[in-house]
């Protein structure tokens, strides 16, 4: 008789999800959670798998459980911000990005996500500050530079826009 372990089920789920077998991956993660209900990583992976399967509300619910267990994890917070944004809950997305910046001010990804929240809210000055901060933290962060270019365009900042365009050309070669 083989004893199931959470680690084996989790690894199996990751492999299944990577090959697009989301239903089976979700089943493995749910089984692992019955063994270890308080393992935040299993809940997070379940959320990511639901997200990749296109089940965004279930994804958010699973990631929220991971967040309750581990409220200091920047990746969990950023994922919740993204899911809230995708589900159209701007206020919630903003709360998660602010929390993420307070917990991990050196996380370029959370700054970029913050910029996206501001941009989608039409707050272009705030968006540019967030994207600039992401690029200070990681000068090679393509998405942040791309987003900053679009923000500068909205602001009518021609010099900033041109600078971003030139850098993006260099990166695309």
């Amino acid at each position: 008789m083989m004893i199931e372990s959470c680690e084996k089920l989790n690894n199996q789920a990751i492999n299944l999800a990577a090959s697009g077998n989301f239903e089976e991956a979700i089943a493995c993660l749910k089984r692992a959670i019955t063994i270890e209900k308080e393992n935040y990583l299993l809940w997070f992976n379940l959320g990511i798998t639901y997200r990749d399967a296109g089940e965004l509300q279930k994804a958010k619910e699973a990631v929220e459980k991971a967040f309750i267990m581990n409220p200091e994890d920047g990746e969990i917070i950023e994922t919740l911000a993204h899911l809230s944004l995708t589900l159209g809950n701007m206020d919630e997305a903003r709360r998660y990005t602010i929390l993420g910046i307070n917990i991990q001010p050196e996380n370029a990804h959370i700054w970029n996500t913050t910029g996206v929240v501001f941009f989608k809210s039409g707050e272009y000055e705030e968006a540019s500050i967030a994207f600039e901060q992401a690029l200070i933290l990681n000068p090679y962060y393509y998405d942040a530079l791309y987003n900053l270019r679009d923000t500068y365009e909205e602001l009518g900042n021609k010099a900033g826009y041109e600078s971003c365009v030139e850098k993006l050309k260099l990166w695309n070669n």
Side-chain angles (χ1 to χ4, degrees):
M1 184 178 132
M2 195 177 108
I3 298 171
E4 286 182 310
S5 80
C6 289
E7 190 178 351
K8 281 182 184 172
L9 287 164
N10 185 49
N11 291 339
Q12 188 178 356
I14 290 168
N15 291 331
L16 286 164
S19 59
N21 296 322
F22 300 117
E23 237 176 88
E24 292 171 50
I26 289 165
C28 280
L29 287 164
K30 284 181 170 180
R31 177 74 192 118
I33 288 168
T34 65
I35 299 167
E36 268 186 50
K37 288 177 185 58
E38 298 301 312
N39 185 329
Y40 81 92
L41 198 54
L42 295 173
W43 284 103
F44 180 70
N45 288 345
L46 179 62
I48 295 299
T49 307
Y50 272 131
R51 180 199 66 195
D52 293 350
E55 296 189 51
L56 299 181
Q57 192 56 51
K58 285 182 177 179
K60 190 166 168 283
E61 290 164 12
V63 178
E64 283 171 340
K65 287 188 175 143
F67 173 71
I68 290 165
M69 292 173 214
N70 189 357
E72 303 285 312
D73 188 302
E75 193 177 3
I76 291 172
I77 295 167
E78 186 192 355
T79 301
L80 281 170
H82 266 288
L83 287 165
S84 298
L85 194 61
T86 307
L87 289 165
N89 191 333
M90 298 303 285
D91 291 341
E92 198 173 66
R94 184 182 303 256
R95 279 194 303 274
Y96 282 125
T97 59
I98 290 166
L99 177 64
I101 286 170
N102 287 331
I103 290 172
Q104 286 188 334
E106 74 294 341
N107 183 329
H109 290 274
I110 201 77
W111 279 102
N112 184 62
T113 302
T114 302
V116 172
V117 171
F118 282 130
F119 188 92
K120 287 188 181 248
S121 300
E123 298 171 70
Y124 302 118
E125 277 298 328
E126 292 83 354
S128 71
I129 292 166
F131 294 134
E132 288 164 358
Q133 184 60 37
L135 286 161
I136 288 168
L137 294 166
N138 179 358
Y140 303 101
Y141 192 175
Y142 185 90
D143 290 353
L145 183 61
Y146 186 92
N147 291 334
L148 183 60
R149 179 204 63 187
D150 291 353
T151 306
Y152 282 160
E153 185 175 33
E154 289 293 332
L155 289 167
N157 179 342
K158 288 180 176 45
Y161 175 84
E162 289 303 323
S163 173
C164 291
V165 167
E166 289 308 308
K167 286 178 186 166
L168 287 167
K169 280 182 192 170
L170 290 173
W171 290 356
N172 284 324
N173 287 338

